[in-house]
Amino acid sequence: MSLPISILDLAHIAEGGTARDSLDTSLAMARSADELGYRRIWYAEHHNMATIASSATSVLIAHIAANTTRIRLGAGGVMLPNHAPLTIAEQFGTLETLHPGRIDLGLGRAPGSDQNTMRALRRDPSSADNFPQDVLELQGYLTGNSRIPGVDATPGKGTNVPLYILGSSLFGAKLAAALGLPYSFASHFAPNALEDAVAAYRREFTPSEQLQEPYVIAGVNVTAAETTAEAKEQAHLARRRMAAQLLARGRTLTPEEADAALESPAGRQVMQMATYSAVGDPGEVKDYLDRFAEHARADELIIAPQAGTVEARLRTLELVAATADGA
């Protein structure tokens, strides 16, 4: 690969496992990625999901940063309408102060949860409408140009934590272009608008103090193993887990029940979410990522390792890194 490769760690809580197990796995993945030369790792904000342990994103980033040395770490992303921009500026300003030059802040406008959880978060249903203004307010705190007179983020002011707009539609693409910010498209689970969104972003991009040229990060699922058959088996185990998470609300399914769920109309829709997936031996995965990068017009790829076991996810990272080094 001629492009930088990064990682989206979905912080899965395995069946029969605990949140602590998941966080220990995230640390093991980060340490491995640090040694293997990956560009960055991002963690996404989700709430009220029994299978995902990254709800307190900034706290997780702090733990990982304190136990790694080089790799950039960030949110992919913080769902900004869930929070006051000042609070996020203080959190990520603190992270940047403690770990200078290693912190990213990706921003999304989705709730990262369902309607009941939105209420529990005290999120106003219309808060997503203020997302562009909230991004600008947050940016002001981090650059030291507060848009609210007399209010500064401490820590945060002048840390210039780089912002990224996350999206799966034209809205995020156009906003990132208008603000002159990097754009990360969630093609690992929302493939349909990839080409149109990237085209709109590149066409409408306006240079800014943070970024002079458009910069696209595209998400892609990856399962790599020594053999194609082994990779396909691990990818199928990951799809079964997805069936339980999305179709059975986390309820334990037998392998037969999970396969039946995946064959249902709803299951086929879930499968369609993973349209962009590299599954195979190292050569096959490298070829797929090369083609996908060109298709997505990407400047960087962010991979979501998909496998049924922790060991297989770690092996995916090793094999992808090896093919990147050999490109």
Side-chain angles (χ1 to χ4, degrees), residues 44-49 54-57 77-84 87-88 91 108-125 127:
E45 176 187 345
H46 294 281
H47 299 283
N48 193 32
M49 297 187 72
S54 55
S55 55
T57 312
V78 161
M79 300 299 109
L80 190 55
N82 292 345
H83 311 276
T87 299
I88 298 303
Q91 290 177 6
R109 64 175 182 141
S113 58
D114 56 31
Q115 295 297 316
N116 285 337
T117 308
M118 282 179 61
R119 286 193 287 273
L121 288 166
R122 302 298 189 266
R123 172 172 168 155
D124 187 284
S127 54

Side-chain angles (χ1 to χ4, degrees), residues 70-259:
R70 177 203 58 82
I71 195 165
R72 296 189 66 89
L73 299 159
V78 161
M79 300 299 109
L80 190 55
N82 292 345
H83 311 276
L86 177 60
T87 299
I88 298 303
E90 291 169 342
Q91 290 177 6
F92 281 79
T94 299
L95 288 169
E96 175 65 23
T97 300
L98 292 171
H99 308 283
R102 295 183 59 201
I103 303 301
D104 300 328
L105 179 47
L107 302 168
R109 64 175 182 141
S113 58
D114 56 31
Q115 295 297 316
N116 285 337
T117 308
M118 282 179 61
R119 286 193 287 273
L121 288 166
R122 302 298 189 266
R123 172 172 168 155
D124 187 284
S126 65
S127 54
D129 297 339
N130 298 322
F131 181 62
Q133 292 75 25
D134 286 349
V135 172
L136 290 172
E137 183 181 336
L138 172 60
Q139 186 179 54
Y141 293 133
L142 292 171
T143 60
N145 301 299
S146 176
R147 290 172 172 260
I148 300 181
V151 178
D152 288 311
T154 306
K157 180 179 180 180
T159 55
N160 295 298
V161 176
L163 301 182
Y164 299 75
I165 299 296
L166 278 58
S168 58
S169 69
L170 294 182
F171 178 89
K174 289 176 176 291
L175 178 62
L179 299 182
L181 295 176
Y183 180 53
S184 181
F185 190 88
S187 34
H188 63 291
F189 76 85
N192 291 340
L194 171 63
E195 293 172 83
D196 290 343
V198 170
Y201 170 70
R202 290 192 174 280
R203 182 176 63 249
E204 300 179 19
F205 181 83
T206 301
S208 69
E209 187 172 340
Q210 178 178 327
L211 190 66
Q212 291 299 302
E213 300 288 339
Y215 194 86
V216 173
I217 303 175
V220 57
N221 301 291
V222 178
T223 308
E226 275 74 8
T227 67
T228 304
E230 183 182 354
K232 288 182 176 179
E233 179 182 355
Q234 287 295 330
H236 187 63
L237 292 174
R239 287 192 290 269
R240 283 176 173 170
R241 181 183 62 216
M242 187 181 298
Q245 178 179 327
L246 298 179
L247 303 177
R249 299 184 179 275
R251 179 175 62 86
T252 299
L253 299 179
T254 66
E256 294 75 17
E257 288 173 333
D259 288 341

Side-chain angles (χ1 to χ4, degrees), residues 11-14 16-28 31 50 52-54 60 63-64 67 310:
H12 288 297
I13 300 175
T18 65
R20 177 57 188 264
D21 295 334
S22 172
L23 299 178
D24 287 345
T25 296
S26 289
L27 179 55
R31 283 173 166 165
I52 296 180
S54 55
L60 176 56
H63 174 62
I64 301 296
N67 288 280
V310 172

